């Protein structure tokens, strides 16, 4: 952890924060290895956009349902236990993929449900622990350094996975990569036992926290922003990897695409973590949103692998510029909200529900688009509509005033 000390200088970094970074890094490596290739794995079996949409819609639906349930467990039992449940369900997902194999397209809802449940438990716990373990002065560092770890996993994972998969016959390479992901999740569970137990007390006031948006201007604006964040993420989380595979027919090319994205993202997160401070957060969010929308025009029409690589570079720079200040601002707003100390879990649940509702709307729109219209003509228009999501974020963020009472 010497690199953390070098980065933070005199800033005090506690033990739980370091462990949470390790768990986040292991999660990121596992996802980088496998998650992109799951959609290609399914595409190679069916070649149908609708199937890919149904699988991702199942993920998006089960995740918010799990979030609400996980919030209750976290409030009544312990956040660390919820984190372990998330990792266990994620491991179960990859185990199921290994066992089902080439029949995966017959179990799209089951697989999507397992992954959605795993995401729900994991991200509820991870976000709550992030809020509790970090302070306002360490949040930009934590979000930036976690972005670095995510990018590092993205550099190593996809190119390694793409190489292994492309060198093996049929689906053998997929089995190896999904198995490695299982191992990484097991290690993450081991590290979770080192986290200090964090039991909570009190009633689970989910509906009351949801209604608080009517009383708290800043909370309302950031929730609207998160819906539009989800609107873009829902479709773009899977459709770009399919585009790359369609253009190249190669998992190795998809690995190269992800590697280019992650190398530049690593560099961008380094500078974002060090130089984006509170006073320029809104300007940074605006710039990142504009860059992200500009990238959509590269892949909406006349898609080529070269354009996809330029797109990878564009979003690699744009996401850190937007997400580092955006996430820090979000946690600061929650920290100042009504009864934040007692209701921090409920605030995290409500925030995630807005993101996930945006994703559900996005993926449902994708399925309708490819089911009832010619994908070649309709997808570009659809991507331009939902692709504006991160740019629209600024319209709400600019109205936030941290000087006004919550």
């Amino acid at each position: 952890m010497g690199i953390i000390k070098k980065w933070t200088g005199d800033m005090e970094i506690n033990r739980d924060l370091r462990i949470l970074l390790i768990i986040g890094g292991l999660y990121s490596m596992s996802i980088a290895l496998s998650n992109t290739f799951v959609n290609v794995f399914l595409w190679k079996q069916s070649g149908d956009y609708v199937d890919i949409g149904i699988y991702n819609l199942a993920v998006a639906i089960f995740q918010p349902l799990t979030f609400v349930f996980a919030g209750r467990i976290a409030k009544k039992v312990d956040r660390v236990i919820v984190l372990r449940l998330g990792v266990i369900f994620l491991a179960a997902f990859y185990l199921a993929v290994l066992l089902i194999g080439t029949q995966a397209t017959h179990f799209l809802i089951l697989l999507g449900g397992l992954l959605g449940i795993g995401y729900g438990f994991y991200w509820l716990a991870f976000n709550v622990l992030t809020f509790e373990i970090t302070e306002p002065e360490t949040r930009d560092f934590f979000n930036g350094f976690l972005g670095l770890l995510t990018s590092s996993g993205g550099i190593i994972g996809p190119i390694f996975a793409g190489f292994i998969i492309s060198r093996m016959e049929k689906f053998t390479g997929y089995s190896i990569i999904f198995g490695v992901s299982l191992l990484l999740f097991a290690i993450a569970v081991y590290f979770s036992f080192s986290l200090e137990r964090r039991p909570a007390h009190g009633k689970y006031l989910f509906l009351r926290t949801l209604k608080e948006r009517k009383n708290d201007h800043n909370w309302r604006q950031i929730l609207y922003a998160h819906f539009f964040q989800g609107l873009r993420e829902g479709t773009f989380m899977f459709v770009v990897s399919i585009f790359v595979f369609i253009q190249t027919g190669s998992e190795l090319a998809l690995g190269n695409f992800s590697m280019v994205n992650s190398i530049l993202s690593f560099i961008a997160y380094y500078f974002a973590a060090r130089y984006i401070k509170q006073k320029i957060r809104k300007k940074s969010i605006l710039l990142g949103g504009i860059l992200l929308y500009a990238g959509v025009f590269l892949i909406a029409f006349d898609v080529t692998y070269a354009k996809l690589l330029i797109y990878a570079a564009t979003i690699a720079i744009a996401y850190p510029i937007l997400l580092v200040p955006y996430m820090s601002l979000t946690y600061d707003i929650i920290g100042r909200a009504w009864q934040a100390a007692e209701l921090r879990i409920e605030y995290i649940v409500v925030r995630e529900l807005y993101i996930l509702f945006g994703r559900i709307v996005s993926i449902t729109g994708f399925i309708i688009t490819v089911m009832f219209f010619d994908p070649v003509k309709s997808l570009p228009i659809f991507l331009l509509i939902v692709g504006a999501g991160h740019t629209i974020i600024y319209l709400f963020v600019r109205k936030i005033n941290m000087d006004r009472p919550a």
Side-chain angles (χ1 to χ4, degrees):
M1 285 296 169
I3 185 173
I4 294 182
K5 184 65 177 176
K6 183 177 179 181
W7 270 48
T8 58
D10 296 329
M11 187 187 301
E12 183 178 351
I13 302 299
N14 62 50
R15 177 174 173 273
D16 277 358
L17 190 148
R18 294 195 297 268
I19 294 173
L20 196 61
L21 283 173
I22 292 172
I23 293 172
L26 288 167
Y27 169 89
S28 298
M29 175 60 78
S30 181
I31 293 298
L33 275 170
S34 301
N35 204 41
T36 298
F37 294 95
V38 170
N39 284 294
V40 174
F41 181 69
L42 296 174
W43 176 264
K44 289 180 72 172
Q45 292 184 35
S46 73
D48 190 343
Y49 278 121
V50 175
D51 283 347
I52 305 300
I54 290 172
Y55 161 73
N56 283 280
L57 182 60
V59 176
I61 290 175
F62 275 90
Q63 191 172 346
L65 295 176
T66 305
F67 246 92
V68 176
F69 178 63
R72 179 175 291 276
I73 297 177
K75 193 68 179 281
K76 297 296 184 180
V77 187
D78 192 292
R79 270 81 81 200
V80 176
I81 291 176
V82 175
L83 185 70
R84 288 178 199 147
L85 282 173
V87 177
I88 288 169
F89 269 98
L90 289 169
F93 163 77
Y94 286 111
L95 181 61
V97 173
L98 284 170
L99 293 175
I100 294 171
T102 55
Q103 300 300 310
T105 52
H106 298 295
F107 300 91
L108 294 172
I109 296 177
L110 170 65
L111 293 175
L114 280 174
L115 189 60
I117 292 170
Y119 281 158
F121 279 123
Y122 176 86
W123 281 113
L124 182 280
F126 193 87
N127 287 332
V128 172
L129 288 170
T130 297
F131 177 70
E132 293 180 345
I133 291 171
T134 62
E135 301 293 338
E137 60 270 14
T138 61
R139 280 178 189 144
D140 286 323
F141 157 75
F142 180 88
N143 291 323
F145 198 87
L146 183 62
L148 272 178
L149 293 176
T150 302
S151 299
S152 299
I155 293 170
I156 301 169
I159 191 65
F160 175 76
F163 178 80
I164 295 296
I165 293 170
S166 63
R167 291 295 184 273
M168 299 288 180
E169 294 183 359
K170 296 184 179 179
F171 294 99
T172 304
Y174 284 98
S175 297
I176 293 173
I177 295 305
F178 295 154
V180 174
S181 288
L182 271 174
L183 176 62
L184 292 174
F185 279 126
I187 297 172
V189 171
Y190 169 78
F191 274 104
S192 74
F193 283 95
S194 299
L195 285 170
E196 180 184 348
R197 294 290 296 271
R198 293 174 176 270
H201 306 283
K203 296 181 179 180
Y204 183 53
L205 302 178
F206 165 70
L207 291 177
R208 175 62 183 83
T209 308
L210 178 62
K211 293 177 181 179
E212 181 60 18
R213 69 191 188 280
K214 298 179 181 179
N215 305 320
D216 187 333
H217 170 83
N218 289 341
W219 177 231
R220 182 169 61 253
Q221 297 305 318
I222 205 68
L223 286 178
Y224 292 158
H226 278 79
F227 169 81
F228 284 98
Q229 174 190 345
L231 191 67
R232 176 187 168 114
E233 288 178 352
T235 296
F236 279 77
M237 286 174 68
F238 64 88
V239 77
V240 176
S241 61
I242 299 299
F243 281 178
V244 174
F245 185 75
I246 290 174
Q247 287 296 315
T248 64
S250 167
E251 287 90 351
L252 184 58
L254 179 56
N256 289 332
F257 170 89
S258 298
M259 184 181 69
V260 169
N261 174 266
S262 297
I263 289 174
L264 292 175
S265 182
F266 182 94
I267 297 170
Y269 268 113
Y270 174 85
F271 285 103
R274 295 199 63 170
Y275 297 111
I276 296 178
K277 304 304 179 183
Q278 290 190 24
K279 62 181 180 180
I280 61 169
R281 278 179 178 174
K282 291 183 180 180
K283 292 180 180 178
S284 180
I285 291 169
L286 174 60
L287 176 60
I290 291 172
L291 287 174
L292 284 169
Y293 193 53
V296 178
F297 289 87
L298 292 168
I299 61 172
F301 304 98
D302 190 25
V303 183
T304 64
Y305 186 55
K307 283 186 176 181
L308 286 163
L309 287 175
I310 297 172
Y311 172 81
T314 302
I315 65 172
I317 295 169
Y319 267 119
I321 293 174
L322 182 144
L323 288 181
V324 169
Y326 179 58
M327 296 307 297
S328 298
L329 178 63
T330 299
Y331 284 121
D332 286 353
I333 289 172
I334 293 175
R336 294 187 40 167
W338 176 78
Q339 298 292 325
E342 293 79 12
L343 303 179
R344 52 188 175 272
I345 292 174
E346 288 89 334
Y347 280 107
I348 295 296
V349 170
V350 172
R351 187 202 74 156
E352 289 298 319
L353 286 182
Y354 269 77
I355 297 176
L356 295 169
F357 182 59
R359 290 179 183 176
I360 290 171
V361 171
S362 178
I363 299 171
T364 302
F366 172 84
I367 293 173
I368 293 172
T369 298
V370 297
M371 184 178 289
F372 295 103
F373 304 97
D374 179 5
V376 175
K377 297 179 180 178
S378 61
L379 265 184
I381 298 172
F382 179 74
L383 292 178
L384 287 175
I385 293 172
V386 298
H390 280 99
T391 311
I392 296 173
I393 283 174
Y394 177 75
L395 300 180
F396 301 101
V397 168
R398 69 184 180 86
K399 299 177 183 178
I400 291 172
N401 182 2
M402 296 303 291
D403 295 327
R404 67 187 291 171

